[in-house]
Amino acid sequence: MWAMKPKDLRLDKLRLPTLVQPKIDGMRAKFERGVWTSADDNEIVGMQYYHSLLAPLEAVGLQVDVELECQGKDFEEGCGYIRSHADYKLDLIVNIIDIPNVKNVNTRERLRWIGKFFNTTIRHPDIRPIPFFDVDTLEGLDYYYKKFRSEGYEGWVCKDPNSLYTPGKTWDWMRRVPVKSVDCKVVGWIPGKGKYEGACGSLVVLDPHGQRFNVGGGLDDSERFEIASDFGSYNGRSVRVLYQRRTNTGSYRHPRVDRWRVDQD
């Protein structure tokens, strides 16, 4: 994984002051040396127009970490279009998150540079640096959460101003988004890969309406290996799953295991 990703907000991990940005519901991607890549390292084709807009980045040898939005489409439709083999894609907004290959420069300075560069050298309505704001109180974070939600964003991401860009999930970046829950029944599991080879990568669960989906987030390492070695002890158990929202097709966005419902087993 090349991308730095936020963890869900925990107040005991929060360091103030912090920087806060609106959380955009798009598809994560990277642009480097003329190639667009998704967060799961698959090449995105048909991006010639946006390549031309970001050509000045190549001159200075920078990668750019972005959130791609597809105008007029919801998240699933937009991701499908972006991942498609369409020869020439348009109607995208490229939201600039960060510049990953700038080493030993903290988040505040990277975001300042992004704002200046993309508002002067690259000025185009389809290329948008994500604004950031200084916050030093919990009340301030609550204010921006309500503000961003009222403006149609998912919520916010707060970032330690002194942090460096580090691939993977980290407490240096945290997000606050709406959370809902559903109690599900475990009906299967999918083997993991990489560090979870030989363990459970994700559970297969059924919601109360009989919809089957996979959930891997929220499981700790010991649970993953126990599930793989003794699935019979988990099959049929009830588990509470947290998620952000349901999509137009009924899928669960960002599901993760919250806890086992021993009262319902």
Side-chain angles (χ1 to χ4, degrees), residues 77-137:
E77 292 174 320
C79 287
Y81 174 67
I82 294 165
R83 291 181 182 275
S84 74
H85 293 284
D87 291 334
Y88 198 83
K89 298 186 175 91
L90 293 171
D91 299 323
L92 300 182
I93 299 298
V94 180
N95 298 284
I96 309 299
I97 297 174
D98 214 320
I99 40 178
N101 64 337
V102 175
K103 307 298 183 184
N104 302 317
V105 176
N106 67 36
T107 297
R108 180 186 296 280
E109 293 306 314
R110 295 196 311 274
L111 294 183
R112 282 176 174 168
W113 186 91
I114 287 169
K116 181 178 180 180
F117 186 82
F118 285 92
N119 288 317
T120 55
T121 304
I122 299 178
R123 297 187 63 182
H124 194 280
D126 293 343
I127 310 294
R128 303 178 184 177
I130 301 175
F132 68 94
F133 305 89
D134 284 272
V135 177
D136 56 10
T137 65

Side-chain angles (χ1 to χ4, degrees), residues 9-211:
L9 176 65
R10 271 181 47 182
L11 293 180
D12 64 316
K13 298 290 186 179
L14 179 65
R15 294 187 291 270
L16 295 173
T18 188
L19 306 176
V20 65
Q21 296 180 291
K23 175 74 173 65
I24 295 168
D25 190 17
M27 178 176 155
R28 197 76 175 271
K30 176 178 67 174
F31 176 72
E32 180 182 14
R33 298 176 183 172
V35 177
W36 292 84
T37 310
S38 66
D40 51 4
D41 291 320
N42 292 313
E43 184 176 350
I44 303 170
V45 300
M47 298 289 286
Q48 300 93 320
Y49 173 64
Y50 302 97
H51 179 180
S52 67
L53 295 180
L54 295 177
L57 283 173
E58 293 186 271
V60 292
L62 289 179
Q63 301 172 1
V64 62
D65 177 359
V66 307
E67 198 89 24
L68 297 174
E69 289 183 286
C70 190
Q71 300 181 77
K73 299 182 187 296
D74 66 15
F75 176 80
E76 283 192 327
E77 292 174 320
C79 287
Y81 174 67
I82 294 165
R83 291 181 182 275
S84 74
H85 293 284
D87 291 334
Y88 198 83
K89 298 186 175 91
L90 293 171
D91 299 323
L92 300 182
I93 299 298
V94 180
N95 298 284
I96 309 299
I97 297 174
D98 214 320
I99 40 178
N101 64 337
V102 175
K103 307 298 183 184
N104 302 317
V105 176
N106 67 36
T107 297
R108 180 186 296 280
E109 293 306 314
R110 295 196 311 274
L111 294 183
R112 282 176 174 168
W113 186 91
I114 287 169
K116 181 178 180 180
F117 186 82
F118 285 92
N119 288 317
T120 55
T121 304
I122 299 178
R123 297 187 63 182
H124 194 280
D126 293 343
I127 310 294
R128 303 178 184 177
I130 301 175
F132 68 94
F133 305 89
D134 284 272
V135 177
D136 56 10
T137 65
L138 294 178
E139 292 77 13
L141 286 173
D142 192 51
Y143 165 79
Y144 279 108
Y145 178 76
K146 294 175 181 176
K147 179 178 187 294
F148 294 154
R149 290 287 295 157
S150 71
E151 294 171 350
Y153 296 105
E154 286 188 294
W156 54 239
V157 176
C158 70
K159 301 179 178 182
D160 181 345
N162 297 312
S163 63
L164 302 179
Y165 193 100
T166 307
K169 287 193 173 183
T170 169
W171 293 114
D172 288 335
W173 290 11
M174 287 187 281
R175 67 182 180 186
R176 181 184 175 188
V177 295
V179 176
K180 300 178 182 180
S181 67
V182 61
D183 290 335
C184 300
K185 178 180 287 188
V186 175
V187 295
W189 66 283
I190 296 173
K193 299 178 181 179
K195 66 178 286 189
Y196 294 128
E197 186 173 354
C200 172
S202 60
L203 292 170
V204 182
V205 301
L206 285 179
D207 74 6
H209 304 289
Q211 178 161 329

